[in-house]
Amino acid sequence: MSKLGKMTALAGILATAQIGEAVYFYQRTMKRNNAKVERTIKMAGTDWNQYMELIQARKESLLAQPHKEISIQSEDGLKLHATYFPGKEQKKVVICFHGYTSHGMSDFIGISDYYRKRGYSMLHPDARAHGKSEGEYIGFGCLDRKDALRWIHWVIKQCGEDVQILLHGISMGGATVLMASGLKLPEQVKGIVSDCGFTSPKEVFTHVLHSMYHLPAYPLIPITDWINQKKAGYGMDECNAKREVRKANIPILLIHGDADTFVPSKMCEEIYKNCASQKTKLIVKGAAHAESYYKDMEAYEQALNKLIDKVID
């Protein structure tokens, strides 16, 4: 074989290896049966054991309240599931959007106490490809924002045209509500809270590859993006929170921990800088990923109070 032939063969082997690596990464990250909560917790690095006693007590208290399982259909025909807790204030509802590999009755267990004490009704959806909702491919906010709009309309139909709605998301759920801010939201949506939301799946994956795996983004991310467009129907930077908030017209509260290594707080700063609507931010010192509420409960609840006092009658 000539030198050129050997070089061509080597290039082919390397290209095949890179494609194989991208497929492996995609399968582990974007498909519901392969994306594992244990892996996510390990990568995020948050020590949840220290809060388990509190979380368990609040979970028992929450589940003791009247609630019901409901379902709606997504724009692309998936059956989406949620748990609804009607509070004393039937006209004040918070819709809670959970994070990657989690489910509706997980991420908001702790903070549910805050909303329950104030009489809010709470809706806890399972994101597509999570929990009891259908779907094979994870939406990473890009698809979930359209599902969020469906849940908003369900709440309006359930509670009446005079209902006041707050959107609150954590991690992937935080990205979801920020991405939804760029849609034409019903006037019943009064405010948005995003806790450790990322800008886009492309940017957060690039960060993870660099910081945790010490791998370059190219060509892994472009190949994964191509696969996702073919399989899941959306590009990994097709919807970016820092672009969507440029179209926002309702108040937004951004919360992030400065010790978050999974979704770096610089993403929060980028989103804040680009946000066109009224905006406030809370950076919690020493808080890891999704830990801000537990790290400084008082500051977190005070920030919520300030937003809610402005936007909810």
Side-chain angles (χ1 to χ4, degrees):
M1 183 183 292
S2 66
K3 185 176 180 180
L4 178 60
K6 290 179 180 178
M7 290 177 66
T8 302
L10 179 60
I13 292 169
L14 290 173
T16 301
Q18 289 171 341
I19 292 171
E21 185 179 51
V23 170
Y24 175 73
F25 174 75
Y26 182 81
Q27 296 282 357
R28 279 169 52 97
T29 307
M30 306 297 284
K31 292 191 71 175
R32 78 176 299 158
N33 292 332
N34 297 330
K36 304 297 185 183
V37 64
E38 297 82 7
R39 189 187 311 139
T40 303
I41 291 173
K42 183 178 179 180
M43 291 172 67
T46 307
D47 178 14
W48 290 110
N49 290 327
Q50 60 187 314
Y51 306 118
M52 275 303 152
E53 186 176 346
L54 172 65
I55 292 171
Q56 188 58 37
R58 292 194 173 181
K59 182 176 182 179
E60 291 175 3
S61 177
L62 178 63
L63 291 176
Q65 307 306 310
H67 60 279
K68 62 180 180 179
E69 309 295 312
I70 59 171
S71 63
I72 61 171
Q73 191 174 68
S74 71
E75 185 179 275
D76 53 348
L78 298 176
K79 184 179 180 180
L80 303 176
H81 169 271
T83 307
Y84 179 61
F85 291 82
K88 294 178 182 178
E89 297 282 357
Q90 295 283 328
K91 297 300 182 181
K92 298 178 181 179
V93 181
V94 57
I95 309 179
C96 304
F97 297 90
H98 66 78
Y100 174 63
T101 69
S102 189
H103 58 89
M105 290 302 297
S106 177
D107 293 2
F108 283 85
I109 292 298
I111 202 169
S112 64
D113 189 67
Y114 171 88
Y115 288 114
R116 279 206 312 110
K117 286 179 178 178
R118 287 156 181 79
Y120 276 69
S121 296
M122 302 183 72
L123 182 68
H124 298 263
D126 290 335
R128 59 172 57 217
H130 290 76
K132 297 179 183 178
S133 288
E134 293 181 344
E136 183 178 3
Y137 298 101
I138 295 171
F140 278 100
C142 300
L143 299 181
D144 305 289
R145 68 178 186 147
K146 296 180 180 179
D147 300 337
L149 194 56
R150 294 277 175 131
W151 286 119
I152 291 166
H153 285 296
W154 181 89
V155 169
I156 295 170
K157 185 176 180 181
Q158 172 75 19
C159 301
E161 292 291 328
D162 57 343
V163 68
Q164 299 178 86
I165 300 171
L166 188 69
L167 307 181
H168 192 153
I170 294 176
S171 192
M172 187 181 78
T176 296
V177 296
L178 292 173
M179 292 175 182
S181 74
L183 299 173
K184 187 176 181 181
L185 296 175
E187 63 180 10
Q188 289 85 355
V189 180
K190 302 300 183 182
I192 289 174
V193 182
S194 174
D195 183 341
C196 63
F198 52 76
T199 49
S200 75
K202 177 184 177 181
E203 292 181 358
V204 78
F205 291 163
T206 297
H207 167 73
V208 168
L209 284 173
H210 288 165
S211 65
M212 299 183 183
Y213 293 100
H214 309 291
L215 291 172
Y218 185 87
L220 189 60
I221 294 298
I223 296 172
T224 304
D225 181 54
W226 181 83
I227 296 171
N228 199 54
Q229 290 188 49
K230 297 295 182 182
K231 296 288 187 179
Y234 70 94
M236 291 169 59
D237 197 54
E238 181 178 307
C239 189
N240 189 308
K242 69 185 177 187
R243 294 197 300 266
E244 293 305 308
V245 295
R246 295 172 189 166
K247 298 177 278 185
N249 58 14
I250 59 175
I252 293 176
L253 167 61
L254 300 170
I255 302 171
H256 220 107
D258 71 355
D260 192 336
T261 57
F262 195 39
V263 177
S265 60
K266 68 178 182 180
M267 289 192 180
C268 177
E269 300 295 345
E270 291 174 4
I271 294 165
Y272 183 84
K273 181 176 66 176
N274 281 276
C275 185
S277 64
Q278 293 181 35
K279 57 191 178 182
T280 53
K281 66 180 175 181
L282 170 65
I283 304 299
V284 180
K285 188 175 181 180
H289 188 64
E291 191 187 18
S292 291
Y293 179 71
Y294 301 94
K295 198 73 174 179
D296 194 341
M297 202 173 293
E298 182 179 359
Y300 199 111
E301 293 189 354
Q302 284 179 355
L304 285 178
N305 287 340
K306 288 179 182 178
L307 173 69
I308 289 171
D309 287 348
K310 289 179 182 178
V311 304
I312 305 291
D313 296 334

